[in-house]
């Protein structure tokens, strides 16, 4: 599954409904031409006293043709970051206690495989990946 402006919103919608009770508003979407970052959640914090975040974007790399289950797990991974930010939950680090608590609950309940990192060495690459020379064995979600 190649991340684009159709596949990302479709997968977002499905995962938001299925795992977050439809509670997350539609974000912006972005594409990054990166081998060493598969997906990212970016946001801006709001001022004190207002809703915790005011702008949010989900980005995927266009260098891979992700297996469908990987695409889903990456999306849920980013939605956990989104959920934590949206609800103003404090975590001790990026993939801290709160993140792992939610990830483990979803993994157990739905048989997902949400991890901190993913090994992308076996994923097929798109022609967009050929612009890159350097290779990294372990890649961050
Ligand atoms: Zn992450």
């Amino acid at each position: 599954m190649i991340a684009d402006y159709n596949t990302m919103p479709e997968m977002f919608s499905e995962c938001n409904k299925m795992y977050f009770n439809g509670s997350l508003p539609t974000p912006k979407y972005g594409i990054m031409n990166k081998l060493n970052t598969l997906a990212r959640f970016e946001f801006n914090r709001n001022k004190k006293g207002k809703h915790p975040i005011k702008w949010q974007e989900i980005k995927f790399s266009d260098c891979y043709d992700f297996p469908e289950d990987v695409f889903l797990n990456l999306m849920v991974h980013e939605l956990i970051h989104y959920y934590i930010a949206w609800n103003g939950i404090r975590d001790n680090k990026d993939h801290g206690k709160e993140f792992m608590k939610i990830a483990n609950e979803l993994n157990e309940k739905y048989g997902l495989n949400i991890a901190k990192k993913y090994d992308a060495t076996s994923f097929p690459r798109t022609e967009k990946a050929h612009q890159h020379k350097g290779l990294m064995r372990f890649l961050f979600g």
Side-chain angles (χ1 to χ4, degrees):
M1 243 178 147
I2 296 170
D4 61 28
Y5 294 102
N6 293 313
T7 56
M8 283 189 289
E10 276 169 24
M11 189 56 90
F12 167 80
S13 245
E14 196 177 304
C15 293
N16 186 30
K17 262 184 230 145
M18 187 74 129
Y19 309 116
F20 297 91
N21 209 15
S23 66
L24 301 170
T26 303
K28 295 188 185 316
Y29 298 99
I31 295 283
M32 15 174 223
N33 187 236
K34 285 180 185 260
L35 277 176
N36 61 354
T37 307
L38 305 182
R40 271 187 72 75
F41 174 69
E42 294 181 356
F43 69 102
N44 283 341
R45 283 189 201 285
N46 218 337
K47 291 190 182 119
K48 268 193 180 165
K50 295 197 172 173
H51 191 271
I53 65 179
K54 60 177 173 185
W55 171 92
Q56 61 272 32
E57 182 172 6
I58 290 174
K59 288 178 159 180
F60 269 75
S61 169
D62 64 1
C63 291
Y64 297 97
D65 185 357
F66 298 107
E68 197 169 336
D69 65 312
V70 171
F71 195 76
L72 186 144
N73 278 291
L74 284 170
M75 181 62 80
V76 180
H77 177 119
E78 300 315 324
L79 293 196
I80 297 173
H81 287 306
Y82 185 178
Y83 181 87
I84 285 173
W86 182 256
N87 290 292
I89 297 167
R90 296 212 168 253
D91 209 347
N92 55 327
K93 51 187 168 180
D94 257 7
H95 301 114
K97 276 186 194 158
E98 296 298 328
F99 181 96
M100 289 314 297
K101 199 178 100 188
I102 299 169
N104 290 334
E105 277 171 15
L106 292 175
N107 285 343
E108 221 164 275
K109 191 167 174 193
Y110 297 102
L112 297 176
N113 183 27
I114 304 155
K116 292 185 195 177
K117 293 181 183 183
Y118 296 85
D119 179 0
T121 46
S122 69
F123 303 162
R125 301 211 172 144
T126 65
E127 78 269 10
K128 301 271 174 65
H130 298 316
Q131 303 162 22
H132 291 274
K133 287 183 182 149
L135 299 181
M136 290 178 72
R137 184 166 293 268
F138 295 102
L139 300 136
F140 294 89

